[in-house]
Amino acid sequence: MAVGAFADRGADLELVGIEKRFPGFTAIENLNLTIPAGSFFALLGPSGCGKTTTLRLVAGLEEPTSGHILIGGTDVTNQKSFQRPVNTVFQSYALFPHMTVLENVAFGLRRRKIGDPVAKAHQALHLVELDHLAHRKPQQLSGGQQQRVALARAIVNRPALLLLDEPLGALDLKLRRQMQLELKTIQEEVGLTFLHVTHDQEEAMTMADTIAVMNKGRIEQMGEPQQLYELPKTAFVANFLGQSNLFTGPVVSTTSTAIAVDVSGQKVVVPLERAHRVSGEVTIGVRPEKLTLHAVAPTHDAGRNVMGPGSVIDVSFSGVSTQYLVAVPGVGTLVVFAQNMAFGPAAHVGAEVWLSWNVDHGFGLDDDPADAPRFEADLDTKTIAQQRRSSLLTELEEA
Amino acid sequence: MAFAAFSSTTPSSTTDPIVRRRSPVALFLLLPGILYLVLFFLTPLVSLLLTSFQAPREFGDIGQFDYAFRWQNYVEVVTTYWPHIVRSFSYALTATFFALLISYPLAYFIGVKARKWPLLQSLMLVLVIAPFFISFLLRTLAWKQLFSDESFVVQSLKALSLLGPEAHVTGTAFSVIFGLTYNFIPFMTLPLYTTLERLDVRYLEAGSDLYASPFHVFRKVTIPLSMPGIVAGTLLTFIPAAGDYINASRDFLGGTGTQMMGNVIEANFLVLQNFPAAAALSIILMTVILVIVSIYVKRSGTEELL
């Protein structure tokens, strides 16, 4: 790492055959990952999936059991964390309580003997709109302010690689949007490489160029946000990134462009290029907003899959859209998001409805259907209210 | 006294009006404490102050004094005993320094490194406290035995020519400072342990992430964060060490050339029965410690961390 100078551009990060075992369990198994320079990469997954461990390995705070870490082509596996051109925004902020905000931000600059650390620290604080609090101690700031100081403390060093560990978790929605925009701007301006670890799929999708969905120490699927959403490869990705209606059944016929699957007696067609498996027992799915509700059985159309009749068991209004739960006998419960194009719901609880979707919107998963459980929708209003409440509670606790 | 020094520097950040308002109930509840302090702290202190100005009774016996305002007592004790005063504070300072040097790594190991093994942690803590189960007089006597001219230690050192044939260990400045250091190590280790045990290692990781080498992390993060323990430990060592008279006593590790203020006070009070001189020396010892401690606590800037 050059002393006295900033990295002039972001560096690419390469993880080769990384494995990390802790006494008793394996956190990461055989992880191979390349993050191109200047990209905004998100590692998305539930807690305990190994994403934070991956971040700590890159930061040099943990040593891999085996494998190599390369930053900008240089093998840094054996370098200590203070030698790596990497900075981290910690989930716990880890702001030094014995220093002022300004000294916290200037800490890295002073260690690297970069000229005029105070002015540069002020600039970074200005960027996160906290320059007026430069002489306070961190514990005198609110959680959101502390998080912004942590961000300033990392980006002021212009690292080749910036690691973000759930960096926006404690911010309210408005500040969160502002900081997301700010991060994007900084990233585009300076061309830094960002590695963002989060469990928030919405944040990952809005900010990242590339998302890797991690589960149980492995990467399930990697790609652009839109690709991951529209064409998930596994049931885990299909349900972690948004919601999905999944069905299982045997492939009954194959044409040159599509496969037809028998789902409890109803024929569902999936384009061949959108199906990861083309024979035997398969799992297929469709996103809830792609479904259309019909009050009467729709006329047959080769371009659309039809399912039904089913009965509406729950209707919940959320402003922009309304969510319907439809129980289809033999298939299960399906979720439908419908735009509120007119006043009032299109169907009431108990109504008999049919569902249809464009054949091109379906997708076929790569999972072995034996492992992939039939999609159990647990999405009635009560559950949603409960989930909303618990997420609000955790947000409040963090703030 | 040490507590007076602490309270004089506690930050006056509690501007809460509720705290400021004195209710009669609070005063009533404080009454036993106040009575206790008046009876057992203020009265002896005033008595000591009055004694220090006493003048010898005309045609009186040894040990007979009258109340007066004989400030020359102070001049006399300072001119007579200034080497002991200087020695007391330099011995105490050196012992505090070495105790800190030995205790910090020990406390760091127990409080930070041994977190993964709670059993080892408790075992080591017990070992630190264990010497308290034996009277410190006995322990100091044991050291006297070990350092005596006929002891195995001294004989071996002489055989190896590390000590001259006529050299002694007991009765030297070394053995007194050694004894002080040894006796006060637990008082240094325990407060250090309590702060280091709460040290959040994530701060150390953040320091390392921000390009600080292990040495810099220690100097810029670990030391400042453990300052409350350092201040408490050094005070608990320095204050009693400055007034100590056991280690420097001729019956223990000291000699004629190593007498400290405590020994002089003891001799004046019990042997020479020169009570005013003993009292004046006590007042001087107390004042100097108070001044040193308040400057130290102010300068170490630990008000916020305490």
Side-chain angles (χ1 to χ4, degrees):
Chain A
M1 181 200 70
V3 166
F6 283 136
D8 48 1
R9 49 181 284 275
D12 51 350
L13 170 73
E14 213 177 321
L15 302 179
V16 186
I18 293 287
E19 190 174 293
K20 177 67 185 174
R21 276 194 296 267
F22 289 107
F25 75 103
T26 305
I28 296 166
E29 44 183 316
N30 194 25
L31 180 68
N32 289 293
L33 190 62
T34 305
I35 300 174
S39 67
F40 199 124
F41 193 94
L43 215 50
L44 179 68
S47 55
C49 72
K51 59 189 196 300
T52 298
T53 308
T54 308
L55 195 87
R56 289 173 61 83
L57 286 169
V58 176
L61 300 170
E62 304 274 359
E63 275 175 45
T65 312
S66 66
H68 293 277
I69 300 164
L70 289 91
I71 296 173
T74 326
D75 192 332
V76 297
T77 318
N78 296 317
Q79 278 184 9
K80 299 276 174 230
S81 67
F82 67 94
Q83 294 162 325
R84 297 190 185 182
V86 167
N87 282 111
T88 311
V89 180
F90 291 93
Q91 192 177 10
S92 64
Y93 330 136
L95 298 174
F96 303 126
H98 59 289
M99 293 180 195
T100 61
V101 165
L102 186 70
E103 279 308 308
N104 261 287
V105 178
F107 189 89
L109 299 173
R110 287 195 200 283
R111 297 275 68 77
R112 283 171 74 192
K113 311 218 177 342
I114 283 171
D116 209 0
V118 173
K120 288 194 174 77
H122 273 299
Q123 256 172 32
L125 282 171
H126 194 75
L127 190 69
V128 296
E129 292 173 22
L130 281 177
D131 203 23
H132 59 291
L133 301 176
H135 297 286
R136 294 256 186 104
K137 288 281 173 74
Q139 53 278 37
Q140 292 170 298
L141 306 184
S142 71
Q145 288 170 331
Q146 289 186 24
Q147 212 155 30
R148 284 188 281 159
V149 174
L151 196 62
R153 187 174 70 168
I155 55 176
V156 74
N157 299 298
R158 294 285 155 88
L161 180 61
L162 186 70
L163 307 177
L164 303 148
D165 191 0
E166 310 259 359
L168 309 176
L171 301 184
D172 60 51
L173 193 68
K174 187 168 160 264
L175 254 176
R176 201 185 175 89
R177 289 275 173 274
Q178 251 174 34
M179 289 311 296
Q180 286 181 348
L181 196 71
E182 211 63 78
L183 275 178
K184 271 308 251 193
T185 318
I186 293 165
Q187 195 243 347
E188 275 156 18
E189 257 174 31
V190 199
L192 302 180
T193 312
F194 278 48
L195 174 56
H196 184 170
V197 157
T198 180
H199 69 273
D200 183 337
Q201 43 107 358
E202 194 207 328
E203 188 170 296
M205 283 202 279
T206 45
M207 296 180 68
D209 311 325
T210 314
I211 298 178
V213 181
M214 239 181 142
N215 185 29
K216 292 179 186 149
R218 275 181 304 147
I219 290 181
E220 291 257 340
Q221 193 179 357
M222 195 169 103
E224 285 169 27
Q226 198 187 337
Q227 184 205 343
L228 283 192
Y229 185 80
E230 299 297 359
L231 196 53
K233 216 167 118 185
T234 64
F236 178 80
V237 177
N239 285 325
F240 194 76
L241 224 63
Q243 295 175 14
S244 296
N245 294 306
L246 299 183
F247 323 100
T248 51
V251 176
V252 285
S253 64
T254 311
T255 67
S256 59
T257 54
I259 55 167
V261 180
D262 174 65
V263 180
S264 307
Q266 313 216 28
K267 201 179 90 172
V268 178
V269 180
V270 178
L272 202 58
E273 80 262 13
R274 291 177 59 83
H276 287 95
R277 272 168 176 254
V278 289
S279 61
E281 194 72 22
V282 295
T283 304
I284 53 169
V286 64
R287 293 288 184 184
E289 73 278 5
K290 306 286 196 293
L291 296 178
T292 312
L293 278 178
H294 302 274
V296 288
T299 49
H300 180 76
D301 180 352
R304 289 188 83 79
N305 287 314
V306 177
M307 193 160 278
S311 62
V312 177
I313 55 170
D314 193 79
V315 179
S316 57
F317 175 76
S318 70
V320 191
S321 62
T322 305
Q323 176 183 294
Y324 301 91
L325 289 189
V326 180
V328 179
V331 176
T333 310
L334 275 69
V335 194
V336 181
F337 291 155
Q339 287 273 328
N340 288 325
M341 308 289 269
F343 298 125
H348 291 280
V349 175
E352 192 184 47
V353 290
W354 283 261
L355 303 167
S356 78
W357 68 92
N358 193 326
V359 166
D360 290 335
H361 289 158
F363 51 79
L365 300 180
D366 195 24
D367 282 327
D368 197 344
D371 306 338
R374 279 175 71 94
F375 180 57
E376 294 286 337
D378 192 11
L379 291 159
D380 55 283
T381 32
K382 209 172 144 194
T383 327
I384 290 170
Q386 264 171 4
Q387 283 171 352
R388 188 79 199 109
R389 192 167 167 271
S390 73
S391 74
L392 276 171
L393 276 176
T394 41
E395 240 173 67
L396 276 173
E397 263 169 38
E398 277 165 6
Chain B
M1 226 167 36
F3 296 106
F6 276 125
S7 59
S8 68
T9 54
T10 36
S12 52
S13 58
T14 45
T15 44
D16 202 334
I18 298 165
V19 178
R20 284 275 172 95
R21 204 172 57 219
R22 295 204 173 84
S23 78
V25 180
L27 275 178
F28 179 75
L29 288 172
L30 275 173
L31 210 59
I34 291 170
L35 270 178
Y36 176 86
L37 281 177
V38 167
L39 220 62
F40 296 106
F41 178 71
L42 209 59
T43 319
L45 192 68
V46 171
S47 159
L48 191 71
L49 201 65
L50 291 176
T51 311
S52 72
F53 288 109
Q54 277 183 338
R57 184 173 296 167
E58 249 179 305
F59 315 114
D61 251 342
I62 294 174
Q64 287 189 313
F65 296 92
D66 286 318
Y67 285 107
F69 184 69
R70 196 170 179 275
W71 53 268
Q72 290 92 333
N73 285 346
Y74 281 86
V75 182
E76 283 167 20
V77 293
V78 171
T79 46
T80 318
Y81 299 116
W82 67 265
H84 300 86
I85 300 176
V86 173
R87 195 180 292 137
S88 278
F89 289 108
S90 56
Y91 281 11
L93 211 65
T94 320
T96 307
F97 174 74
F98 282 114
L100 182 64
L101 214 61
I102 295 165
S103 296
Y104 201 97
L106 180 65
Y108 190 87
F109 183 82
I110 306 174
V112 182
K113 294 280 168 192
R115 279 180 200 175
K116 281 174 267 176
W117 309 287
L119 208 66
L120 178 73
Q121 207 174 16
S122 359
L123 183 74
M124 290 193 72
L125 269 181
V126 169
L127 286 178
V128 170
I129 303 164
F132 285 130
F133 291 111
I134 303 161
S135 157
F136 88 106
L137 291 178
L138 280 179
R139 282 183 278 127
T140 315
L141 274 177
W143 279 113
K144 190 190 181 181
Q145 298 257 307
L146 284 171
F147 285 153
S148 70
D149 292 347
E150 300 78 33
S151 72
F152 169 75
V153 177
V154 174
Q155 292 292 336
S156 321
L157 287 173
K158 281 184 178 168
L160 291 165
S161 300
L162 289 170
L163 268 181
E166 296 303 309
H168 303 284
V169 177
T170 47
T172 60
F174 166 80
S175 70
V176 176
I177 292 171
F178 180 94
L180 287 172
T181 310
Y182 163 77
N183 275 313
F184 288 108
I185 276 179
F187 295 97
M188 183 68 92
T189 310
L190 291 177
L192 278 175
Y193 162 76
T194 43
T195 27
L196 286 170
E197 195 243 351
R198 281 179 290 137
L199 180 75
D200 192 339
V201 290
R202 288 179 296 188
Y203 293 133
L204 313 187
E205 287 180 349
S208 181
D209 184 70
L210 291 164
Y211 314 107
S213 61
F215 171 73
H216 273 118
V217 170
F218 180 71
R219 212 169 63 99
K220 297 282 178 189
V221 185
T222 314
I223 292 265
L225 287 178
S226 55
M227 217 48 198
I230 296 175
V231 170
T234 46
L235 289 182
L236 284 177
T237 304
F238 179 77
I239 297 168
D244 185 80
Y245 72 99
I246 298 294
N247 288 286
S249 153
R250 260 164 295 187
D251 299 330
F252 290 88
L253 299 167
T256 31
T258 61
Q259 301 293 288
M260 289 165 68
M261 276 179 95
N263 306 99
V264 179
I265 294 170
E266 184 209 16
N268 268 298
F269 199 87
L270 296 177
V271 184
L272 305 172
Q273 299 199 359
N274 188 354
F275 306 124
L281 277 168
S282 302
I283 296 280
I284 291 170
L285 179 67
M286 214 186 281
T287 317
V288 176
I289 288 178
L290 206 59
V291 169
I292 293 177
V293 165
S294 22
I295 294 171
Y296 175 58
V297 173
K298 259 228 150 61
R299 292 213 48 175
S300 62
T302 49
E303 291 96 335
E304 278 165 57
L305 295 166
L306 273 172

